[in-house]
Amino acid sequence: MDKLHMQQCKPCRGDEPALTQDEIELFLEQVPAWKLYQAQEGPRITRGFSFDDFSQALSFTDRVGQLAEQQGHHPSITTEWGKVKVSWWTHKISGLHTNDFIMASRTDKLYDEFSGAAS
């Protein structure tokens, strides 16, 4: 399988099934910093990111937003002083889709690039 961050999101029509628990566990091995949790609306994957200050956190939030717009797949993002929490799931299927893991991997890569530039 290609590295997740190199894959493109495919439009979700809403009629495809959500990933099974076994599929989710396989994908989580590829994005080990992400955690699975059950929201009322269905499963999500989430990760927290740390920064030196609010400005860096806000800049990262903006970059994640730009990435989401490019791929047409949008997360929940919470920005605080020195912290950003990102959660991915697919609204149309009330569950997790391959796109969520592609975007989690892309978010990780973005953070790695962002952290390297901030050093």
Side-chain angles (χ1 to χ4, degrees), residues 32-108:
W34 292 79
K35 304 298 177 217
L36 176 66
Y37 79 97
Q38 286 294 330
Q40 186 174 356
E41 304 83 15
R44 297 179 183 196
I45 52 174
T46 189
R47 178 177 175 193
F49 299 89
S50 297
F51 300 91
D52 291 336
D53 55 32
F54 185 77
S55 179
Q56 288 181 353
L58 188 58
S59 179
F60 180 74
T61 297
D62 185 55
R63 301 262 318 267
V64 172
Q66 291 172 17
L67 178 64
E69 278 294 298
Q70 291 168 0
Q71 291 294 306
H73 193 59
H74 304 90
S76 170
I77 307 173
T78 304
T79 305
E80 301 179 52
W81 191 98
K83 294 190 274 187
V84 175
K85 178 181 171 186
V86 180
S87 298
W88 293 101
W89 76 103
T90 300
H91 307 267
K92 285 186 178 180
I93 60 173
S94 298
L96 292 169
H97 184 277
T98 304
N99 290 345
D100 300 304
F101 290 93
I102 290 169
M103 294 305 288
S105 180
R106 285 177 168 239
T107 305
D108 285 347

Side-chain angles (χ1 to χ4, degrees), residues 2-47:
D2 290 335
K3 293 196 181 289
L4 282 172
H5 73 271
M6 296 175 70
Q7 295 182 34
Q8 298 292 317
C9 288
K10 296 176 179 77
C12 181
R13 298 178 314 271
D15 61 349
E16 55 245 78
L19 295 174
T20 66
Q21 187 62 39
D22 288 342
E23 291 169 324
I24 290 169
E25 289 174 18
L26 286 173
F27 276 119
L28 282 171
E29 290 176 9
Q30 297 180 61
V31 289
W34 292 79
K35 304 298 177 217
L36 176 66
Y37 79 97
Q38 286 294 330
Q40 186 174 356
E41 304 83 15
R44 297 179 183 196
I45 52 174
T46 189
R47 178 177 175 193

